[in-house]
Amino acid sequence: MHPFRKAVEARDTAAVEALLAENVVFTSPVAFKPYPGKELTAAILRGVLRVFEDFRYVREIADPGGRDHALIFEATVAGKAITGCDFLHFDDAGKIDDFMVMVRPLSAATALAEAMGAQFERIQAEATAALVAKSEGA
């Protein structure tokens, strides 16, 4: 089992964040523009864990070199069954530098967009607080 999968399934947000590269780019299934940066990506992933119910990975696919992984998941969002895939690319240090999510069906993607939209103020506040803490610690 991949360490990212293990961390998500354990709902260990610190372990998830530790696997993200500083320059990670998160591509959402419901937003046009990708989101750059570790702090924002970590905050988005915490938001996702808050809105997904009964989340579980059902399949893991990896390239032979270990740099690309696809983790297929199932969950429920606002009563809608959702199936999706986390596409992960790992940099030379073994950190996730590209994270793209795709989901289906459209009705569940719409429910996810609404649920995450309701989380976005909190997500932005968490990311900003993490950036401030990071700059004060530097």
Side-chain angles (χ1 to χ4, degrees), residues 33-133:
K33 272 178 37 178
Y35 298 101
K38 182 176 183 171
E39 290 76 17
L40 184 54
T41 299
I44 289 169
L45 294 175
R46 288 190 299 271
V48 168
L49 287 174
R50 290 189 294 266
V51 302
F52 276 159
E53 303 162 29
D54 304 319
F55 180 89
R56 65 209 165 279
Y57 283 114
V58 296
R59 191 166 169 205
E60 185 173 334
I61 304 165
D63 77 342
R67 299 283 298 265
D68 291 289
H69 287 265
L71 300 171
I72 301 165
F73 62 84
E74 295 175 347
T76 305
V77 178
K80 303 275 185 193
I82 192 167
T83 302
C85 188
D86 292 338
F87 295 94
L88 309 175
H89 181 269
F90 294 82
D91 64 15
D92 292 335
K95 302 284 186 176
I96 300 167
D97 63 358
D98 187 44
F99 191 131
M100 180 174 60
V101 182
M102 293 187 177
V103 296
R104 65 162 309 282
L106 179 59
S107 60
T110 301
L112 177 60
E114 291 171 2
M116 289 302 292
Q119 291 280 320
F120 215 74
E121 190 172 306
R122 179 175 175 181
I123 289 168
Q124 288 178 311
E126 287 178 9
T128 300
L131 283 168
V132 168

